[in-house]
Amino acid sequence: MSALAPAQSPLAPPAEETLDPVDWEALRELTHRIVDEALDYVRDVRDRPPWQDMPPEVKASFASGLPASPTLLSGVYREVSETVMRYPMGNIHPRFWSWYMGSSNFTGALGDFLAAVQGSNLGGGNHAAAQVERQVIDWFKEMMGFPASASGTLVSGGSVANLVALTVARNAKAGTDIREHGVGSVERPLRFYGSDQLHSCHRKSMETIGLGNAALRRVPSDEGSHIDIPALREAIAEDREAGVQPACIIGSAGTVNTGAIDNLEELAEVAEREGLWFHVDGCIGALIAIAPGNAWRVKGISRAHSIALDPHKWLHAPFEVGCVLIRDARTHRGTFALTPEYLEHTARGLASGEWLYDYGLQTTRGFRALKVWMSLKEHGAAKFGRLIDQNIAQAAYLAGLIEAELALELHEAREINIVCFRHRADALGADRRKAVNVEIMLRLQEQGLAVISDTTLKGEHWLRVAVNNHRTRREDLELLVREVLRIGGQVIGDLHASGANPKG
């Protein structure tokens, strides 16, 4: 025995661990119970309030420290059931009309579950999940009237979809290799144009891509909240005269405040005549293109250079999934593609497929496509188109109910499925009207009746209802109007009695 040999044999290695269960059958039983209760949760959603505030003890439960020791999964699920599931945001409820959410669907939830079980990373490669995403992108191109040669990518939502599109537009119009030399190499400052009703994500995008908020020129909107096209032409001419380089027009296929749809045909004409990139923010209304009764509203969207849309809105996919389409695939890929040595392509095997991360910012990408793929396979695009028409008709019905009530005032800018209105509160005067309407909104939420939001249009406060929900029925909208009148009467009475504005 060598003098260098250890005096005793090495210790046995520690037992190797895994996250897989010790008892698969016990997990099967619990999983079946979870699925059963999830089905009941969706089936019985109408029997619950759309939103309710968490009691202090529930909020406190989320402030506990890092768990060091294990808990049985059945106990973890019990905690989820008693806390998380009881106090949702509420957007799957038929009387949730706040902001612009979409209301999910159970098949999509199953798709998310299966995607997580399969566990594929959608950075790309030669595997089935990548093929599903390519097919979903192809379906969106077909919906929007884009050529098969166009490209696209799935992202988290509309904000990132718009960011990707505006990044491609910047690079296409920079007149320099901006990837290599940066925005400082652009000879003349670039200018992007959109209406004063643009979603705030466009400002964030302009800041993120290094052009800054000042490079986004807000063109006034008309009384219907559409971009004023003569004012747009004038702005472009002024900027050219001042030595600024007009680069991109952003059209809105549904503004977030009122759902106004810009004249996309005319914007396409202006962009073509001026040599500008034409981007359509269609996160609210691009999918109207598949609605048989309303597709005419987005005529011209197929002429865009890029489109942002949100399947988790009017396709009701569970959060999160957005999409951006780019007409010129070469320009799209050229904006993001990068092949490091550890991601080189091979002629065969897993790396022989296209790298999907070449079309966006993420290398690691979740399998977002499956929930969309499964839902479209199950229901067909035609049904989703009919549901869009249904929501637009329901919004028109709500507008009629509001107009029939003397105590309520309807905002005139209504086109699709967003309705802005307010209680007149005439007995108190305009100075207290906002306080009355905010209190109505809050009491609707707190009493578990409905969830609506509010906004400001040309300096005036309005309540806002976005009917983006496949579970909504007309009787829900009738209930909303009744409760607004009832609560409004209570709030006004309270104000008269106290002589003070309500807190809100």
Side-chain angles (χ1 to χ4, degrees), residues 1-10:
M1 179 173 163
S2 168
L4 298 178
Q8 58 185 27
S9 61

Side-chain angles (χ1 to χ4, degrees), residues 135-153:
Q135 186 169 35
V136 167
I137 293 294
D138 286 343
W139 289 347
F140 286 138
K141 289 188 287 188
E142 186 176 345
M143 290 178 190
M144 296 297 108
F146 261 35
S149 60
S151 59
T153 187

Side-chain angles (χ1 to χ4, degrees), residues 22 51 93 228 230 236 245 265 298 357 373 378 391 421 428:
V22 174
W51 178 86
H93 194 281
D228 184 325
I236 293 170
Q245 182 180 336
E265 282 278 26
V298 292
Y357 87 96
W373 190 89
E378 179 192 17
N391 279 167
F421 75 103
L428 294 171

Side-chain angles (χ1 to χ4, degrees), residues 249-280:
I249 297 171
I250 305 168
S252 294
T255 59
V256 69
N257 273 328
T258 65
I261 298 173
D262 291 335
N263 189 324
L264 304 180
E265 282 278 26
E266 285 198 35
L267 290 180
E269 292 290 341
V270 174
E272 184 174 343
R273 189 179 311 115
E274 298 286 349
L276 308 185
W277 186 277
F278 178 35
H279 172 63
V280 174

